[in-house]
Amino acid sequence: MKQMTYLETGSVDPAYNLAFEETVLRRRKDGDYLILWQNENTVVIGQNQNAEAEINRAFIEQHRTRVVRRMTGGGAVYHDLGNLNYSFLTDAGEIGQTSIARFTAPVVEALCQLGLQAEASGRNDILVEGRKVSGTAQRLLGGRILHHGTLLFCSDPDMVAGALRADPSKFASKSTQSVRSRIGNIRDFLPEPIDLPAFWAYLRQALARDGAVTGTLLPEELQEVEALRRDKYSRWEWNFGRSPRYTLNRRRRWEGGTLQPGVEVRDGRIEAIAFYGDFLSLRPLDALCEALHGCPFRPQEVGAVLDRFVLLEYFGSITREEILATLFYDVPDGNG
């Protein structure tokens, strides 16, 4: 690669950072760019994934973790401030030059120079001593390519495992589901300890090869970043509403009986819903199910619809909270 322009986003907001990347890809038609950036606690899902199937909703709500969809493919990843992300933006070149190896090679080399036993593996991973420390993805736009990847430096492994621990067996969907790998933190493999700021500085120098000039975005470009952050990456319609059509089947046992909802979701909204079980209802559920048709499939909106009904007449002693828990949260049953 020829001399690069180095950019930083100046933010840990995942919506802003993804908007920043997209703006650079769309607006900068020439030259090579390197961006190093971080997100606060976030699950970042691939463009073709079902958001609900990738997350442990109860966990991410408890830990105030964002869910944001990126514009590249691949699987879901967890970001926190112990993770450093890198982005290359350059000319796509010939078809063969779009291969992921073209971009992972300098990252692997940089890690090896630190004394790590790093290697590219599979479609898009970088491993150190058999542990995944990086996942990558790409996007073509015209004659330009964006390649970006994670670098787990000192991320919290419990957060990584907890946030991404949805049970895919409960979902029937054509979406691309993530393959979980054994992960590792780069810091744990270093022969000589360094902190993340030092690693950031090292990586900036190593990936720039012959050096990089520091650049900034123009005022009109920053306005575009803010517009994309607000109107795309911060919106439920992008992050959840774009999930592929899927069917959700769950079964929970409560003191008031067994509750087994079946839900068809399209564009993030309930297309069809039915409740089965041995709960003691006094009325048929048709009116309630009809009211849920078209409702965004998220707890707040479903809860608001439930509030319009006397649930004791429809579900016996099964409560509003138990209905929502059955639909949305992977936690132990109320009755074992």
Side-chain angles (χ1 to χ4, degrees):
M1 292 183 180
K2 48 186 179 290
Q3 187 180 49
M4 289 182 172
T5 299
Y6 174 72
L7 299 169
E8 290 188 5
T9 69
S11 175
V12 293
D13 174 1
Y16 184 91
N17 288 335
L18 291 171
F20 189 101
E21 267 193 329
E22 181 172 343
T23 298
V24 176
L25 180 61
R26 292 186 181 281
R27 296 289 295 260
R28 301 294 177 101
K29 305 295 188 182
D30 299 297
D32 298 340
Y33 292 85
L34 168 66
I35 311 171
L36 296 179
W37 49 287
Q38 287 184 299
N39 285 333
E40 61 188 357
N41 293 13
T42 309
V43 174
V44 182
I45 60 173
Q47 65 171 339
N48 301 314
Q49 291 194 292
N50 173 5
E52 290 288 351
E54 295 297 327
I55 62 174
N56 179 340
R57 179 174 280 279
F59 186 94
I60 67 167
E61 290 184 0
Q62 178 185 352
H63 292 87
R64 300 180 183 275
T65 300
R66 303 270 298 273
V67 179
V68 183
R69 183 184 302 276
R70 60 181 186 266
M71 63 172 174
T72 57
V77 290
Y78 173 78
H79 290 187
D80 61 19
L81 297 182
N83 173 75
L84 180 61
N85 303 295
Y86 68 91
S87 305
F88 291 123
L89 298 101
T90 186
D91 292 335
E94 301 298 325
I95 292 296
Q97 292 182 299
T98 64
S99 70
I100 285 178
R102 170 188 174 191
F103 300 97
T104 56
V107 179
V108 169
E109 182 180 341
L111 295 177
C112 289
Q113 290 295 323
L114 287 174
L116 303 178
Q117 299 177 28
E119 60 178 335
S121 175
R123 295 182 307 151
N124 61 338
D125 294 343
I126 296 175
L127 308 183
V128 173
E129 297 182 25
R131 296 294 186 104
K132 178 179 176 178
V133 300
S134 176
T136 66
Q138 296 184 154
R139 171 68 185 270
L140 278 169
L141 184 66
R144 301 286 283 174
I145 187 169
L146 160 68
H147 172 101
H148 57 190
T150 58
L151 285 167
L152 294 171
F153 187 81
C154 56
S155 287
D156 183 341
D158 292 334
M159 287 294 295
V160 178
L164 298 174
R165 203 168 49 202
D167 182 356
S169 68
K170 292 181 175 140
F171 296 85
S173 171
K174 293 183 179 180
S175 65
T176 304
Q177 292 186 339
S178 300
V179 178
R180 307 297 176 220
S181 305
R182 291 195 310 160
I183 64 167
N185 275 315
I186 290 168
R187 185 177 65 179
D188 297 337
F189 299 106
L190 290 169
E192 299 293 334
I194 61 173
D195 60 16
L196 197 147
F199 178 66
W200 186 315
Y202 165 76
L203 203 67
R204 173 181 175 177
Q205 177 273 327
L207 297 183
R209 299 287 184 163
D210 298 326
V213 296
T214 301
T216 57
L217 296 195
L218 300 172
E220 57 267 29
E221 291 173 326
L222 290 172
Q223 290 177 2
E224 185 171 324
V225 173
E226 182 56 34
L228 280 170
R229 181 203 66 78
R230 181 187 65 242
D231 299 334
K232 180 177 181 180
Y233 291 106
S234 293
R235 291 179 63 84
W236 176 87
E237 286 78 6
W238 168 258
N239 295 317
F240 285 88
R242 280 181 56 90
S243 293
R245 183 175 183 172
Y246 63 95
T247 300
L248 172 71
N249 294 288
R250 295 180 187 263
R251 184 181 186 276
R252 297 285 295 278
R253 176 72 185 173
W254 304 102
E255 287 188 9
T258 299
L259 183 62
Q260 186 172 352
V263 192
E264 290 187 16
V265 182
R266 184 172 188 174
D267 297 329
R269 295 178 180 272
I270 295 172
E271 188 167 76
I273 187 167
F275 295 92
Y276 306 96
D278 59 1
F279 50 91
L280 299 175
S281 59
L282 300 173
R283 292 180 180 273
L285 275 71
D286 301 34
L288 185 145
C289 292
E290 179 61 29
L292 286 168
H293 183 268
C295 177
F297 189 64
R298 50 182 175 180
Q300 301 92 324
E301 279 79 356
V302 172
V305 173
L306 294 178
D307 289 340
R308 290 155 45 189
F309 293 83
V310 181
L311 296 180
L312 184 66
E313 298 179 358
Y314 292 87
F315 295 97
S317 61
I318 294 179
T319 66
R320 173 188 189 274
E321 288 67 32
E322 290 167 345
I323 296 167
L324 292 176
T326 306
L327 286 167
F328 295 101
Y329 301 112
D330 292 322
V331 292
D333 289 353
N335 197 31

